[in-house]
Amino acid sequence: MATLKQVAAHAEVSVQTVSNALNAPHRLRPDTLARVNRSIELLNYRPNRNARSLRTSAVELIGYCVPSWPNRTHLVMDQFLHALCAAAESTGRHILLFTAPPGVDGMPVYDDLHARRLVDGFVLSQTETRDPRHGWLKEKQIPFVSFGRVWKESTQPGPWVDVDGAAGTALAVRHLHGAGRRRIAFIGWPKTSGLAEDRRAGWRNACTALDLPTTGLTVHCAEDTLDAGAQAAAELLDGPQPPDGIVALSDVLALGALREITRRGLVPGVDVGVTGFDDSPLADVVSPGLTSLRQPMDDIAAELITILTDPPAGPTERLLLPELVVRGSSAPG
Protein backbone atom coordinates (compact mmCIF):
# COMPACT_ATOMS: atom_id res chain seq x y z
CA MET A 1 0.00 0.00 0.00
CA ALA A 2 1.31 3.43 -0.94
CA THR A 3 2.49 5.85 1.74
CA LEU A 4 1.80 9.56 2.12
CA LYS A 5 5.38 10.33 1.05
CA GLN A 6 5.02 8.24 -2.11
CA VAL A 7 1.84 10.11 -3.06
CA ALA A 8 3.60 13.42 -2.48
CA ALA A 9 6.54 12.36 -4.66
CA HIS A 10 4.25 11.11 -7.42
CA ALA A 11 2.25 14.36 -7.44
CA GLU A 12 5.43 16.44 -7.06
CA VAL A 13 4.08 18.26 -4.01
CA SER A 14 4.88 18.33 -0.30
CA VAL A 15 3.53 15.86 2.23
CA GLN A 16 1.59 18.74 3.82
CA THR A 17 -0.12 19.42 0.50
CA VAL A 18 -1.28 15.81 0.32
CA SER A 19 -2.52 16.10 3.90
CA ASN A 20 -4.44 19.25 2.95
CA ALA A 21 -5.99 17.45 -0.02
CA LEU A 22 -7.30 14.80 2.38
CA ASN A 23 -8.30 16.97 5.33
CA ALA A 24 -8.67 20.55 4.09
CA PRO A 25 -9.10 20.55 0.29
CA HIS A 26 -10.40 24.14 0.34
CA ARG A 27 -6.83 25.30 1.07
CA LEU A 28 -5.54 24.10 -2.31
CA ARG A 29 -5.82 25.54 -5.79
CA PRO A 30 -8.15 23.46 -7.99
CA ASP A 31 -5.34 22.30 -10.28
CA THR A 32 -3.15 21.23 -7.35
CA LEU A 33 -6.03 19.39 -5.69
CA ALA A 34 -6.84 17.59 -8.96
CA ARG A 35 -3.19 16.52 -9.39
CA VAL A 36 -2.96 15.13 -5.84
CA ASN A 37 -6.28 13.30 -6.19
CA ARG A 38 -5.07 11.71 -9.41
CA SER A 39 -1.96 10.42 -7.64
CA ILE A 40 -4.03 9.13 -4.73
CA GLU A 41 -6.23 7.22 -7.16
CA LEU A 42 -3.38 5.88 -9.28
CA LEU A 43 -1.40 4.67 -6.27
CA ASN A 44 -4.53 3.37 -4.52
CA TYR A 45 -3.55 5.29 -1.37
CA ARG A 46 -5.66 4.73 1.74
CA PRO A 47 -5.17 7.00 4.76
CA ASN A 48 -4.30 5.45 8.11
CA ARG A 49 -7.65 5.82 9.85
CA ASN A 50 -6.33 5.36 13.38
CA ALA A 51 -3.56 7.91 13.01
CA ARG A 52 -5.88 10.37 11.33
CA SER A 53 -8.64 10.13 13.93
CA LEU A 54 -6.13 10.42 16.76
CA ARG A 55 -4.69 13.56 15.19
CA THR A 56 -7.94 15.29 14.28
CA SER A 57 -10.34 13.86 16.92
CA ALA A 58 -12.61 13.04 14.00
CA VAL A 59 -15.50 10.62 14.36
CA GLU A 60 -15.04 8.26 11.42
CA LEU A 61 -16.11 4.83 12.69
CA ILE A 62 -19.30 4.81 14.77
CA GLY A 63 -20.26 2.06 17.18
CA TYR A 64 -23.87 0.97 17.69
CA CYS A 65 -24.91 -1.70 20.18
CA VAL A 66 -27.73 -3.73 18.64
CA PRO A 67 -30.33 -3.85 21.42
CA SER A 68 -31.97 -6.95 22.77
CA TRP A 69 -35.70 -6.70 23.23
CA PRO A 70 -36.81 -9.31 25.78
CA ASN A 71 -40.41 -10.41 25.26
CA ARG A 72 -40.75 -8.01 22.32
CA THR A 73 -40.88 -8.40 18.56
CA HIS A 74 -39.14 -5.26 17.37
CA LEU A 75 -40.25 -5.09 13.76
CA VAL A 76 -38.54 -1.85 12.74
CA MET A 77 -34.95 -2.61 13.78
CA ASP A 78 -33.91 -3.58 10.24
CA GLN A 79 -35.29 -0.29 8.93
CA PHE A 80 -33.38 1.71 11.52
CA LEU A 81 -30.09 -0.13 10.98
CA HIS A 82 -30.32 0.32 7.22
CA ALA A 83 -31.07 4.03 7.60
CA LEU A 84 -28.24 4.51 10.12
CA CYS A 85 -25.67 2.77 7.92
CA ALA A 86 -26.80 4.70 4.84
CA ALA A 87 -26.64 8.04 6.70
CA ALA A 88 -23.12 7.29 7.93
CA GLU A 89 -21.92 6.13 4.51
CA SER A 90 -23.28 9.28 2.88
CA THR A 91 -20.68 11.20 4.92
CA GLY A 92 -17.84 8.75 4.24
CA ARG A 93 -18.22 6.99 7.59
CA HIS A 94 -19.27 3.50 8.64
CA ILE A 95 -21.17 1.81 11.45
CA LEU A 96 -19.67 -0.98 13.53
CA LEU A 97 -22.43 -3.14 15.03
CA PHE A 98 -21.83 -5.00 18.28
CA THR A 99 -23.68 -6.50 21.24
CA ALA A 100 -23.16 -5.93 24.95
CA PRO A 101 -24.97 -6.76 28.19
CA PRO A 102 -27.16 -3.97 29.54
CA GLY A 103 -26.02 -1.63 32.29
CA VAL A 104 -22.63 -1.74 34.01
CA ASP A 105 -21.94 -5.28 32.74
CA GLY A 106 -21.72 -3.96 29.19
CA MET A 107 -19.18 -1.20 29.87
CA PRO A 108 -16.06 -3.35 29.24
CA VAL A 109 -17.27 -3.84 25.66
CA TYR A 110 -17.46 -0.09 25.07
CA ASP A 111 -14.07 0.39 26.74
CA ASP A 112 -12.43 -2.30 24.61
CA LEU A 113 -13.86 -0.96 21.34
CA HIS A 114 -12.58 2.54 22.00
CA ALA A 115 -9.23 1.48 23.50
CA ARG A 116 -8.47 -0.55 20.37
CA ARG A 117 -9.48 2.41 18.18
CA LEU A 118 -12.19 0.31 16.53
CA VAL A 119 -14.66 3.19 16.95
CA ASP A 120 -14.39 6.94 17.53
CA GLY A 121 -17.89 7.56 18.88
CA PHE A 122 -21.19 5.88 19.67
CA VAL A 123 -24.88 6.02 18.82
CA LEU A 124 -26.79 4.80 21.88
CA SER A 125 -30.27 3.36 22.19
CA GLN A 126 -32.24 1.70 24.97
CA THR A 127 -31.09 4.55 27.20
CA GLU A 128 -32.37 4.45 30.76
CA THR A 129 -32.36 6.50 33.95
CA ARG A 130 -28.81 6.78 35.34
CA ASP A 131 -27.46 4.91 32.32
CA PRO A 132 -23.77 4.20 33.14
CA ARG A 133 -22.71 4.77 29.54
CA HIS A 134 -23.39 8.49 29.67
CA GLY A 135 -21.09 9.29 32.57
CA TRP A 136 -18.33 7.03 31.25
CA LEU A 137 -18.44 8.51 27.75
CA LYS A 138 -18.41 12.05 29.13
CA GLU A 139 -15.45 11.27 31.41
CA LYS A 140 -13.50 9.79 28.50
CA GLN A 141 -14.58 12.67 26.23
CA ILE A 142 -15.88 10.20 23.67
CA PRO A 143 -18.56 11.65 21.34
CA PHE A 144 -22.02 10.09 21.60
CA VAL A 145 -25.65 10.74 20.73
CA SER A 146 -28.75 8.85 21.88
CA PHE A 147 -31.70 7.61 19.86
CA GLY A 148 -34.37 8.26 22.43
CA ARG A 149 -34.71 10.44 25.49
CA VAL A 150 -33.93 9.35 29.03
CA TRP A 151 -37.20 9.41 30.93
CA LYS A 152 -37.67 10.54 34.53
CA GLU A 153 -34.55 12.71 34.63
CA SER A 154 -34.75 16.48 35.05
CA THR A 155 -32.06 17.10 32.44
CA GLN A 156 -30.92 14.95 29.55
CA PRO A 157 -27.41 13.49 29.99
CA GLY A 158 -26.36 14.21 26.42
CA PRO A 159 -27.51 14.96 22.87
CA TRP A 160 -30.45 12.96 21.56
CA VAL A 161 -32.88 12.43 18.69
CA ASP A 162 -36.35 11.06 19.32
CA VAL A 163 -39.83 10.71 17.85
CA ASP A 164 -42.69 12.66 19.42
CA GLY A 165 -44.85 9.75 20.57
CA ALA A 166 -47.40 11.99 22.27
CA ALA A 167 -47.94 13.98 19.09
CA GLY A 168 -48.31 10.71 17.21
CA THR A 169 -51.00 9.19 19.39
CA ALA A 170 -52.84 12.52 19.47
CA LEU A 171 -52.80 12.47 15.67
CA ALA A 172 -54.26 8.95 15.73
CA VAL A 173 -57.07 10.05 18.07
CA ARG A 174 -57.96 12.99 15.84
CA HIS A 175 -57.98 10.69 12.82
CA LEU A 176 -60.35 8.20 14.48
CA HIS A 177 -62.54 11.04 15.74
CA GLY A 178 -62.73 12.43 12.22
CA ALA A 179 -63.92 9.00 11.09
CA GLY A 180 -66.83 9.19 13.52
CA ARG A 181 -65.37 7.33 16.53
CA ARG A 182 -66.52 8.59 19.91
CA ARG A 183 -65.16 6.02 22.40
CA ILE A 184 -61.47 5.67 21.64
CA ALA A 185 -59.47 3.35 23.89
CA PHE A 186 -55.73 3.05 24.46
CA ILE A 187 -53.72 -0.18 24.69
CA GLY A 188 -50.23 0.36 26.08
CA TRP A 189 -47.43 -0.89 28.29
CA PRO A 190 -47.01 -0.58 32.07
CA LYS A 191 -46.97 2.91 33.60
CA THR A 192 -43.34 2.41 34.61
CA SER A 193 -42.34 2.90 30.96
CA GLY A 194 -41.61 6.53 30.15
CA LEU A 195 -42.22 5.93 26.46
CA ALA A 196 -45.58 4.33 27.25
CA GLU A 197 -46.60 7.24 29.46
CA ASP A 198 -45.60 9.72 26.75
CA ARG A 199 -47.77 8.03 24.12
CA ARG A 200 -50.62 7.53 26.60
CA ALA A 201 -50.49 11.25 27.47
CA GLY A 202 -50.93 12.13 23.79
CA TRP A 203 -54.02 9.91 23.61
CA ARG A 204 -55.48 11.29 26.85
CA ASN A 205 -54.85 14.95 25.99
CA ALA A 206 -56.36 14.58 22.53
CA CYS A 207 -59.45 12.85 23.93
CA THR A 208 -59.86 15.61 26.51
CA ALA A 209 -59.51 18.31 23.87
CA LEU A 210 -62.20 16.59 21.78
CA ASP A 211 -64.47 16.06 24.82
CA LEU A 212 -64.17 12.28 24.52
CA PRO A 213 -64.30 9.91 27.53
CA THR A 214 -61.14 8.25 28.87
CA THR A 215 -62.35 6.50 32.04
CA GLY A 216 -62.25 2.72 31.71
CA LEU A 217 -60.70 2.92 28.27
CA THR A 218 -57.07 2.09 29.06
CA VAL A 219 -55.42 -1.34 29.29
CA HIS A 220 -51.75 -1.80 30.19
CA CYS A 221 -50.11 -4.92 28.75
CA ALA A 222 -47.20 -6.60 30.51
CA GLU A 223 -45.73 -7.73 27.18
CA ASP A 224 -45.61 -6.42 23.64
CA THR A 225 -47.11 -9.51 21.98
CA LEU A 226 -50.04 -10.44 19.75
CA ASP A 227 -51.65 -12.38 22.59
CA ALA A 228 -51.35 -9.40 24.93
CA GLY A 229 -52.96 -7.12 22.36
CA ALA A 230 -55.77 -9.60 21.80
CA GLN A 231 -56.41 -9.97 25.54
CA ALA A 232 -56.46 -6.20 25.99
CA ALA A 233 -58.96 -5.79 23.16
CA ALA A 234 -61.12 -8.54 24.67
CA GLU A 235 -61.15 -6.74 28.03
CA LEU A 236 -62.22 -3.51 26.37
CA LEU A 237 -64.88 -5.10 24.16
CA ASP A 238 -66.34 -7.00 27.12
CA GLY A 239 -66.82 -3.77 29.06
CA PRO A 240 -70.24 -2.18 29.65
CA GLN A 241 -69.52 0.47 27.01
CA PRO A 242 -67.08 -1.01 24.49
CA PRO A 243 -64.94 1.28 22.36
CA ASP A 244 -65.46 1.97 18.68
CA GLY A 245 -61.82 2.96 18.25
CA ILE A 246 -58.47 1.71 19.63
CA VAL A 247 -55.11 3.47 19.65
CA ALA A 248 -52.39 0.89 20.33
CA LEU A 249 -48.91 1.79 21.52
CA SER A 250 -47.30 -0.59 18.99
CA ASP A 251 -48.12 -2.41 15.79
CA VAL A 252 -47.82 -5.75 17.58
CA LEU A 253 -50.49 -4.81 20.12
CA ALA A 254 -52.66 -3.37 17.35
CA LEU A 255 -52.39 -6.57 15.30
CA GLY A 256 -53.42 -8.56 18.36
CA ALA A 257 -56.44 -6.28 18.76
CA LEU A 258 -57.37 -6.81 15.10
CA ARG A 259 -57.22 -10.56 15.64
CA GLU A 260 -59.62 -10.39 18.57
CA ILE A 261 -62.00 -8.03 16.77
CA THR A 262 -62.15 -10.40 13.79
CA ARG A 263 -62.57 -13.45 16.04
CA ARG A 264 -65.74 -11.90 17.45
CA GLY A 265 -67.25 -11.46 14.00
CA LEU A 266 -66.72 -7.70 14.04
CA VAL A 267 -65.24 -5.88 11.06
CA PRO A 268 -62.04 -3.88 11.74
CA GLY A 269 -62.32 -0.41 10.30
CA VAL A 270 -66.13 -0.63 10.28
CA ASP A 271 -67.20 -1.72 13.76
CA VAL A 272 -63.95 -0.77 15.49
CA GLY A 273 -61.19 1.44 14.10
CA VAL A 274 -57.63 0.51 15.10
CA THR A 275 -54.28 2.28 14.80
CA GLY A 276 -50.76 1.09 15.63
CA PHE A 277 -47.34 2.68 16.00
CA ASP A 278 -44.12 2.09 13.97
CA ASP A 279 -45.60 1.21 10.55
CA SER A 280 -43.75 -2.09 10.63
CA PRO A 281 -43.58 -4.37 7.56
CA LEU A 282 -46.57 -6.38 8.82
CA ALA A 283 -48.83 -3.31 8.80
CA ASP A 284 -49.10 -3.37 5.02
CA VAL A 285 -49.56 -7.12 4.54
CA VAL A 286 -52.41 -7.93 6.94
CA SER A 287 -56.02 -7.61 5.83
CA PRO A 288 -57.30 -5.05 6.37
CA GLY A 289 -54.08 -3.06 6.33
CA LEU A 290 -53.14 -1.54 9.67
CA THR A 291 -53.24 2.23 10.02
CA SER A 292 -50.00 3.10 11.80
CA LEU A 293 -47.67 5.92 12.78
CA ARG A 294 -44.47 5.77 10.75
CA GLN A 295 -41.25 6.87 12.40
CA PRO A 296 -39.12 8.98 10.00
CA MET A 297 -36.15 6.60 10.08
CA ASP A 298 -34.12 8.35 7.40
CA ASP A 299 -34.47 11.70 9.16
CA ILE A 300 -33.70 10.16 12.55
CA ALA A 301 -30.53 8.55 11.23
CA ALA A 302 -29.40 11.71 9.42
CA GLU A 303 -29.86 13.80 12.57
CA LEU A 304 -27.95 11.27 14.70
CA ILE A 305 -24.99 11.22 12.34
CA THR A 306 -24.94 15.00 11.96
CA ILE A 307 -24.99 15.64 15.71
CA LEU A 308 -22.24 13.06 16.24
CA THR A 309 -19.90 14.09 13.43
CA ASP A 310 -20.62 17.78 12.93
CA PRO A 311 -22.38 19.04 16.09
CA PRO A 312 -24.22 22.33 15.65
CA ALA A 313 -23.47 25.37 17.78
CA GLY A 314 -27.01 25.38 19.16
CA PRO A 315 -29.10 22.73 20.92
CA THR A 316 -28.38 19.09 20.12
CA GLU A 317 -31.85 17.79 20.83
CA ARG A 318 -34.21 16.82 18.02
CA LEU A 319 -37.86 15.79 18.42
CA LEU A 320 -39.30 14.57 15.11
CA LEU A 321 -42.94 14.04 14.17
CA PRO A 322 -44.26 10.67 13.00
CA GLU A 323 -46.50 10.32 9.94
CA LEU A 324 -49.91 8.65 10.10
CA VAL A 325 -50.22 6.09 7.30
CA VAL A 326 -53.95 5.40 6.86
CA ARG A 327 -55.13 1.92 5.86
CA GLY A 328 -58.31 -0.14 6.13
CA SER A 329 -58.16 -0.81 9.88
CA SER A 330 -59.40 2.73 10.58
CA ALA A 331 -61.75 3.26 7.62
CA PRO A 332 -64.87 5.31 8.50
CA GLY A 333 -67.69 3.33 10.08
Side-chain angles (χ1 to χ4, degrees), residues 9 51 78 265 314:
D78 284 350

Side-chain angles (χ1 to χ4, degrees), residues 181-306:
R181 313 295 174 182
R182 294 299 179 265
R183 287 186 58 81
I184 302 172
F186 180 79
I187 299 178
W189 300 333
K191 293 182 178 180
T192 53
S193 165
L195 182 147
E197 278 299 283
D198 183 53
R199 295 184 185 181
R200 180 175 179 271
W203 161 81
R204 183 180 58 246
N205 293 339
C207 287
T208 300
L210 294 168
D211 199 26
L212 300 176
T214 57
T215 302
L217 289 171
T218 305
V219 177
H220 300 287
C221 300
E223 297 182 342
D224 190 45
T225 64
L226 292 173
D227 287 344
Q231 292 170 8
E235 180 178 335
L236 290 165
L237 293 170
D238 286 338
Q241 292 182 292
D244 56 5
I246 294 175
V247 172
L249 183 143
S250 72
D251 280 359
V252 173
L253 293 176
L255 291 168
L258 287 180
R259 188 179 73 184
E260 177 62 20
I261 291 167
T262 302
R263 188 189 70 80
R264 292 172 176 247
L266 302 174
V267 180
V270 177
D271 298 308
V272 185
V274 179
T275 67
F277 205 115
D278 281 339
D279 193 34
S280 60
L282 289 179
D284 196 33
V285 299
V286 296
S287 181
L290 175 64
T291 294
S292 186
L293 289 150
R294 176 183 295 166
Q295 299 197 48
M297 289 301 180
D298 290 341
D299 294 339
I300 292 167
E303 292 283 2
L304 288 167
I305 297 301
T306 297

Side-chain angles (χ1 to χ4, degrees), residues 1-4 7 22 40-41 43-49:
M1 184 178 293
T3 65
L4 197 70
V7 173
L22 294 168
I40 289 173
E41 183 177 352
L43 297 178
N44 194 30
Y45 173 72
R46 294 293 181 268
N48 184 317
R49 193 204 71 80

Side-chain angles (χ1 to χ4, degrees), residues 56-252:
T56 65
S57 298
V59 177
E60 296 186 348
L61 280 181
I62 300 165
Y64 178 72
C65 182
V66 180
S68 61
W69 301 93
N71 302 320
R72 289 189 58 194
T73 305
H74 199 69
L75 299 175
V76 296
M77 180 53 64
D78 284 350
Q79 298 174 19
F80 173 68
L81 290 179
H82 185 275
L84 187 65
C85 291
E89 290 165 7
S90 71
T91 66
R93 297 169 172 87
H94 295 282
I95 302 294
L96 185 146
L97 301 178
F98 65 97
T99 61
V104 175
D105 291 341
M107 295 313 304
V109 179
Y110 289 81
D111 191 13
D112 180 64
L113 288 170
H114 190 260
R116 294 167 58 193
R117 303 301 299 173
L118 295 176
V119 298
D120 308 308
F122 293 92
V123 171
L124 307 180
S125 64
Q126 277 190 309
T127 53
E128 56 188 19
T129 304
R130 292 182 291 278
D131 193 317
R133 294 175 296 179
H134 295 134
W136 183 85
L137 290 166
K138 286 181 177 179
E139 180 184 350
K140 299 290 185 180
Q141 297 185 327
I142 301 171
F144 72 92
V145 60
S146 299
F147 177 23
R149 289 161 283 176
V150 176
W151 302 100
K152 301 179 182 179
E153 286 194 9
S154 56
T155 59
Q156 293 296 315
W160 55 267
V161 179
D162 204 357
V163 174
D164 194 335
T169 51
L171 179 61
V173 169
R174 291 194 294 270
H175 165 68
L176 291 172
H177 180 265
R181 313 295 174 182
R182 294 299 179 265
R183 287 186 58 81
I184 302 172
F186 180 79
I187 299 178
W189 300 333
K191 293 182 178 180
T192 53
S193 165
L195 182 147
E197 278 299 283
D198 183 53
R199 295 184 185 181
R200 180 175 179 271
W203 161 81
R204 183 180 58 246
N205 293 339
C207 287
T208 300
L210 294 168
D211 199 26
L212 300 176
T214 57
T215 302
L217 289 171
T218 305
V219 177
H220 300 287
C221 300
E223 297 182 342
D224 190 45
T225 64
L226 292 173
D227 287 344
Q231 292 170 8
E235 180 178 335
L236 290 165
L237 293 170
D238 286 338
Q241 292 182 292
D244 56 5
I246 294 175
V247 172
L249 183 143
S250 72
D251 280 359
V252 173

